[in-house]
Amino acid sequence: MENPETYTEEVPLYPVLPVEKFKLIKPSKLLFSVLLVFSFMILINVLAIVYLANDPINRAQVVVKKKWELIHELDAPLNYLVVGDSSANQGFNPQIVDDTIGLRGLNLATNGNFGFVDDVWLLETYLALHPVPQTVIVIHTYDTPQREVPAIDLIGTYAIPLSDLLNYTYMADQLSFFDVIEIYKIRILPIYYRRSSLMNALTQSFGIFEKPYPLNEDGFMSVTPKGINTFNSEPDRKAPLHLQLLKAQFSQDNLNAVNRMIDLAETYDFDLYFVNGPSYMGLEADEKFQVFRQNLHKIYRRFDEQSPNVYYIPAVFLFPAEAMVSMDHLIADAADDYTRQVMTLIWDKD
Amino acid sequence: MLFNSQQFMIFFIIVYLLFLLLKNHINTRNILLLISSYIFYGSWDWRFLFLIFLSTLVDYWIGIQLGKTDVSDLPKRKRLLAISVIFNLGMLGIFKYFNFFVASFSGLLAAFGFRSDIAILNIILPVGISFYTFQTLSYSIDVYRNQLKPSYNFITFATFVAFFPQLVAGPIERASNLLPQLSEKVRITPEKVHSALFLILWGYFKKVAIADHVAIYANTIFNDYEIYSGLSVFVGLLAFAIQIYCDFSAYSDIARGVARLMGFELMVNFRLPYFALSPSDFWNRWHISLSTWLRDYLYIPLGGNRQSVAKTYRNLILTMILGGLWHGAAWNFVLWGSFHGIVLALFRRFDKFDIHQLEQYSRLYLFFRWCMMLGIILYSWLLFRAESLDQIYQMTMQLFIPNVANITSLIEILIYASPLIVMQIAQAKSKDLLIFTKLNIHLQVLFSIVLLIWLIVYGQHGHSEFIYFQF
């Protein structure tokens, strides 16, 4: 400790009471140290921006980044595309379709937190770069439709360059000046807004936080049962809580996205299929859930009726607990089975 | 507008820049501070701006009238003071205590078999009312006592009442301290800026990185108290003790740091209270602005310790009961205040410990006293935090059930609080609350970066309110 030149403006009531003692400091020294602290914080923030651009850490964002790379790396036309949420990401295996009926496709499904919104983004990006596929399959689990998809959070954290998103995503039109400010804040201050991911990056380096599963080149994420606790931990106990939160409705963001996809289907003349994601048979056996499911069917049927390019497959794909890692996510073997069922319903219906 | 919010940071940057431009023009500077303070207060609820303005007007007028009244004209001076006291305490009574007294009175009637149809009003408690009413009361009383000249500048006086850094959660400033500063040019020295930046950083760290984390443990235990016993109850008490100290002292630190950046000195509100060696030592360290207010405006006018022994104890207990009631309109606060009053009285009667002569005691004895005091303080927080008398009773009984569950929670709490423990030990050993600023400048830079990263990345950023806003 330096030998301070200090003074105090207080007289303590008794000796043991601490007081404030001021240490004389040169203005230049103070300014320099303050600037040094701020400069270092800015440097850490910049390093965080660079790191996250390369490795988003957050599992959903890692998947997003990979899927967009797949679109740009594609070097041959495709027969079909799959978009949707994580239940499709690890539920639909394009290799099965290729091996069985020789149709080439890409699984661009990402995460339910992005709703149907990023389905549109991925689809539009693909259509801008490649020939139109004959079929686009939209697969979402039962609780994705009701989710709100706040534009600021979505665009702020989405692992794609901001310029790309603001240039040609339809949501960008609806953003106010202050929304854009908020988005830029999220992007340029990851040390605050992406702190969970940065924390995970630290624990990842100690092997505590697991990296996401690797994606195949066709976009399918194969979740093997090895090292995974399959879905056997009291699923029936969790179901009532699940049911309380379910609403058979589409949020406005998701509805807008669906309408946008229907427009694209008509403009580019491809077949647009809405397919249910896989689900746990114990949940589907519940009467309340069945009522919910029927109401959701009605909404999807309305999309079907909106356009001759749009089709809704009302089938429900049920799986036992040992085939799943949650209420709506499959292990790899079961994903192959799910893919076959969907494939049959879409391409083998005649 | 919470201190730990982006809005406040933007607000303060703008105000501070304007302040620096105007700092040498006293009146204009005070107008800026007053408008800023009203904007700050209005951001909570603009409807209560009228209330604080009215309180300012009343006590400003009272001060002037007292200034015009001859010192020998006691009856008139007393009448003027009575207006201030009735008005300020009346405001508190209506907004803070009306429902409490109505409900208590109804309960009392019901106990005797009578029905009461007195309606409970749907009254919102104005933020900071407990603080600024006491602040303006202290002004009126000091002018009445001729200890302070009245202010003849309404802008300066209104700024004293509404000064935004300390408006909503203290420290409860004395007019004799703040008014002269507002009437003079400020002097912003490098060492004051240095210490102010430390206070602000340390305050934010205590709030965001410690208080809001340990609050989760405290809330878990207190909200489900029926199922916890033994060590778990102790963990809940410890968590709350750390939470309330970090939360409240953080606000005071940030308030003092913000004021000091502008060249104003607010009183120190905490001096390592958990190092107290006796109950009176604790009250010389905890919420000092309130404890000294109660001492100067309640305990001493009641007679203090100048009368009989019995009356001294009465004065102690009464003062602490009213101090408890100041915190909130609920019986657990009365119980908390009574507990502290009784403890103070008992120690006054039986304890011969001399805090001025610590060198005559062995370290072992002092350590024992410290443990004892910590135990007393921790238990008092049970009375403070509990939401019912039944909860107090049950948790007290459950505290002594042998049960060592929740060891991991205890360790986690101590980990969250570890920077606090290190800082407090350093402050206690050096008897310097600004010991951090005595470190080698490179170490200060390094620790500041570590604290900043810690509080940004690991802090709880849910914009939780400071606990004392509810008082």
Side-chain angles (χ1 to χ4, degrees):
Chain A
M1 210 178 288
E2 288 177 340
N3 213 352
E5 285 182 6
T6 62
Y7 68 93
T8 180
E9 294 170 348
E10 302 182 86
V11 177
L13 277 178
Y14 36 89
V16 76
L17 274 185
V19 295
E20 286 189 325
K21 298 175 189 170
F22 298 97
K23 181 186 169 185
L24 298 176
I25 185 170
K26 286 185 186 153
S28 54
K29 201 173 188 181
L30 177 64
L31 185 64
F32 178 73
S33 45
V34 169
L35 287 175
L36 198 58
V37 170
F38 275 112
S39 303
F40 203 84
M41 295 306 296
I42 291 169
L43 177 65
I44 292 173
N45 191 65
V46 167
L47 289 174
I49 293 173
V50 170
Y51 186 92
L52 288 169
N54 185 49
D55 180 3
I57 310 293
N58 176 280
R59 292 182 195 188
Q61 299 295 349
V62 168
V63 167
V64 160
K65 189 167 185 294
K66 181 67 180 173
K67 298 293 171 112
W68 282 71
E69 283 170 5
L70 287 177
I71 296 176
H72 286 90
E73 287 163 5
L74 193 64
D75 55 7
L78 297 173
N79 301 109
Y80 70 94
L81 281 180
V82 174
V83 291
D85 59 24
S86 52
S87 66
N89 179 41
Q90 68 185 75
F92 191 96
N93 185 357
Q95 192 62 46
I96 300 294
V97 178
D98 196 359
D99 291 345
T100 310
I101 57 178
L103 292 179
R104 266 196 82 222
L106 204 55
N107 182 335
L108 296 178
T110 55
N111 187 282
N113 286 336
F114 312 137
F116 289 68
V117 175
D118 82 327
D119 298 347
V120 177
W121 293 352
L122 287 155
L123 191 50
E124 286 182 335
T125 307
Y126 179 89
L127 292 170
L129 295 171
H130 303 290
V132 180
Q134 292 138 7
T135 308
V136 173
I137 308 169
V138 182
I139 302 175
H140 280 280
T141 190
Y142 49 83
D143 69 351
T144 303
Q146 70 188 75
R147 297 190 201 183
E148 303 289 337
V149 189
I152 293 171
D153 292 337
L154 177 61
I155 299 175
T157 57
Y158 206 66
I160 298 302
L162 189 57
S163 52
D164 290 349
L165 290 176
L166 292 179
N167 275 342
Y168 58 79
T169 56
Y170 73 94
M171 242 179 184
D173 301 336
Q174 299 149 22
L175 297 172
S176 69
F177 172 73
F178 292 106
D179 290 341
V180 175
I181 298 277
E182 282 301 311
I183 289 166
Y184 272 103
K185 272 165 61 180
I186 293 171
R187 290 274 175 157
I188 64 175
L189 294 172
I191 196 172
Y192 176 72
Y193 290 101
R194 299 293 305 280
R195 56 189 181 277
S196 299
S197 296
L198 294 171
M199 270 171 62
N200 288 338
L202 279 175
T203 52
Q204 198 172 275
S205 55
F206 292 108
I208 299 170
F209 179 75
E210 290 176 17
K211 282 192 171 227
Y213 284 91
L215 287 170
N216 294 352
E217 285 312 307
D218 56 14
F220 173 59
M221 186 163 90
S222 172
V223 174
T224 58
K226 185 182 172 186
I228 288 285
N229 288 326
T230 50
F231 186 51
N232 55 12
S233 54
E234 305 168 8
D236 295 313
R237 183 172 69 83
K238 289 182 182 173
L241 177 64
H242 223 59
L243 288 167
Q244 279 171 30
L245 304 171
L246 289 177
K247 292 178 201 168
Q249 66 187 39
F250 268 66
S251 66
Q252 195 57 52
D253 302 308
N254 283 331
L255 202 54
N256 292 343
V258 166
N259 287 326
R260 180 83 172 189
M261 277 195 281
I262 294 173
D263 287 342
L264 287 171
E266 290 178 340
T267 305
Y268 288 89
D269 196 26
F270 56 80
D271 292 334
L272 182 67
Y273 282 86
F274 289 98
V275 177
N276 294 303
S279 54
Y280 169 56
M281 56 180 42
L283 182 65
E284 298 278 354
D286 185 283
E287 282 177 14
K288 280 188 192 155
F289 188 83
Q290 286 170 12
V291 170
F292 159 80
R293 183 61 92 179
Q294 288 308 313
N295 289 332
L296 204 56
H297 279 323
K298 286 179 194 167
I299 301 175
Y300 275 116
R301 282 200 190 95
R302 270 185 267 167
F303 298 148
D304 188 314
E305 288 157 12
Q306 251 178 268
S307 165
N309 288 82
V310 179
Y311 304 89
Y312 171 54
I313 307 281
V316 173
F317 306 92
L318 305 179
F319 290 86
E322 49 272 21
M324 312 191 77
V325 294
S326 68
M327 292 278 195
D328 48 12
H329 289 73
L330 298 170
I331 59 175
D333 291 342
D336 291 349
D337 186 18
Y338 170 78
T339 308
R340 283 192 197 93
Q341 291 185 54
V342 171
M343 178 183 68
T344 305
L345 288 168
I346 292 177
W347 287 290
D348 228 9
K349 52 185 184 294
D350 300 326
Chain B
M1 207 190 298
L2 295 168
F3 273 174
N4 51 329
S5 69
Q6 291 178 31
Q7 291 91 331
F8 177 76
M9 287 179 201
I10 296 168
F11 164 82
F12 180 63
I13 289 170
I14 296 170
V15 168
Y16 191 55
L17 290 173
L18 290 171
F19 178 87
L20 289 175
L21 288 171
L22 300 172
K23 68 181 174 69
N24 293 323
H25 309 279
I26 298 172
N27 262 342
T28 324
R29 173 200 79 192
N30 287 347
I31 291 172
L32 167 70
L33 286 175
L34 182 61
I35 293 171
S36 310
S37 299
Y38 281 168
I39 290 172
F40 179 81
Y41 192 67
S43 71
W44 294 96
D45 194 329
W46 61 269
R47 296 171 295 178
F48 294 124
L49 278 173
F50 171 72
L51 219 56
I52 192 174
F53 184 74
L54 189 62
S55 177
T56 306
L57 216 54
V58 166
D59 285 296
Y60 177 71
W61 180 80
I62 297 281
I64 289 178
Q65 295 307 309
L66 282 167
K68 288 180 185 170
T69 309
D70 197 79
V71 174
S72 56
D73 190 354
L74 268 181
K76 187 175 180 189
R77 292 178 77 81
K78 280 189 177 170
R79 279 198 299 274
L80 287 167
L81 180 63
I83 295 172
S84 175
V85 170
I86 291 168
F87 177 79
N88 284 300
L89 294 184
M91 269 207 322
L92 259 186
I94 291 168
F95 284 96
K96 195 165 175 177
Y97 300 108
F98 180 83
N99 287 338
F100 169 66
F101 286 117
V102 162
S104 300
F105 183 64
S106 297
L108 188 63
L109 287 176
F112 287 101
F114 296 105
R115 237 187 58 176
S116 161
D117 290 325
I118 307 171
I120 290 181
L121 302 178
N122 190 14
I123 301 175
I124 304 169
L125 180 67
V127 172
I129 192 170
S130 304
F131 292 89
Y132 71 73
T133 49
F134 268 39
Q135 194 155 302
T136 51
L137 256 181
S138 81
Y139 167 78
S140 308
I141 296 171
D142 284 351
V143 174
Y144 165 81
R145 288 175 177 175
N146 257 327
Q147 290 169 350
L148 182 71
K149 282 193 170 31
S151 173
Y152 291 96
N153 186 318
F154 181 76
I155 299 290
T156 304
F157 182 75
T159 308
F160 155 69
V161 175
F163 191 45
F164 73 87
Q166 45 88 230
L167 174 58
V168 294
I172 302 170
E173 268 303 319
R174 299 296 180 93
S176 55
N177 179 44
L178 190 51
L179 265 178
Q181 294 184 70
L182 288 168
S183 308
E184 294 160 2
K185 283 188 182 179
V186 293
R187 210 175 138 250
I188 304 174
T189 60
E191 59 269 15
K192 293 285 178 93
V193 171
H194 187 198
S195 64
L197 293 174
F198 161 70
L199 285 174
I200 293 169
L201 173 61
W202 186 234
Y204 276 114
F205 185 85
K206 280 193 289 187
K207 169 63 177 165
V208 171
I210 303 178
D212 289 349
H213 269 298
V214 299
I216 296 168
Y217 298 88
N219 292 340
T220 302
I221 305 288
F222 276 88
N223 291 347
D224 282 312
Y225 63 92
E226 300 97 333
I227 62 175
Y228 294 105
S229 61
L231 183 65
S232 301
V233 176
F234 173 78
V235 165
L237 293 181
L238 181 66
F240 184 68
I242 295 171
Q243 178 199 353
I244 194 167
Y245 170 69
C246 286
D247 194 288
F248 193 16
S249 66
Y251 190 93
S252 293
D253 283 352
I254 297 169
R256 298 186 65 239
V258 163
R260 186 171 284 171
L261 279 180
M262 295 188 283
F264 299 108
E265 286 302 317
L266 302 180
M267 65 187 297
V268 175
N269 217 9
F270 294 89
R271 297 186 197 274
L272 310 181
Y274 293 149
F275 283 77
L277 296 172
S278 69
S280 53
D281 187 21
F282 176 74
W283 286 104
N284 281 325
R285 294 170 180 263
W286 177 274
H287 201 177
I288 298 165
S289 63
L290 176 67
S291 62
T292 51
W293 195 101
L294 292 170
R295 177 197 66 199
D296 294 341
Y297 301 111
L298 200 56
Y299 178 69
I300 290 175
L302 281 173
N305 60 0
R306 297 189 308 273
Q307 298 165 325
S308 67
V309 168
K311 283 193 174 170
T312 300
Y313 298 150
R314 178 204 69 182
N315 296 339
L316 270 174
I317 294 170
L318 197 57
T319 301
M320 294 312 296
I321 287 175
L322 292 174
L325 206 52
W326 175 90
H327 283 82
W331 285 110
N332 67 298
F333 292 120
V334 175
L335 206 56
W336 175 78
S338 309
F339 176 82
H340 273 287
I342 292 167
V343 166
L344 276 165
L346 284 172
F347 270 72
R348 191 182 179 87
R349 171 69 180 88
F350 296 108
D351 187 30
K352 304 298 170 206
F353 179 70
D354 185 354
I355 194 90
H356 298 83
Q357 305 283 341
L358 282 184
E359 57 279 358
Q360 65 179 296
Y361 303 108
S362 69
R363 282 185 169 216
L364 186 61
Y365 175 72
L366 292 175
F367 177 73
F368 165 75
R369 281 198 75 92
W370 174 72
C371 291
M372 176 192 64
M373 270 313 302
L374 204 55
I376 291 170
I377 296 164
L378 281 181
Y379 182 75
S380 75
W381 289 131
L382 166 57
L383 308 177
F384 189 92
R385 175 63 174 79
E387 290 174 7
S388 69
L389 299 178
D390 177 67
Q391 182 175 2
I392 291 171
Y393 173 76
Q394 282 211 40
M395 287 186 77
T396 303
M397 294 296 114
Q398 280 154 218
L399 183 60
F400 298 102
I401 295 173
N403 182 342
V404 289
N406 268 315
I407 277 262
T408 43
S409 298
L410 177 62
I411 294 169
E412 285 163 10
I413 289 167
L414 291 174
I415 290 173
Y416 282 125
S418 55
L420 174 76
I421 295 169
V422 168
M423 179 70 81
Q424 299 244 306
I425 290 173
Q427 288 171 324
K429 281 178 91 73
S430 61
K431 294 180 205 165
D432 181 4
L433 296 171
L434 299 175
I435 187 63
F436 183 88
T437 61
K438 312 303 181 298
L439 292 173
N440 176 287
I441 197 73
H442 303 108
L443 280 177
Q444 287 184 57
V445 167
L446 177 64
F447 288 147
S448 299
I449 291 167
V450 169
L451 286 177
L452 270 172
I453 293 174
W454 189 325
L455 90 87
I456 290 171
V457 177
Y458 292 100
Q460 289 279 100
H461 294 281
H463 295 309
S464 63
E465 282 194 354
F466 289 83
I467 290 179
Y468 265 68
F469 284 1
Q470 61 190 298
F471 307 136

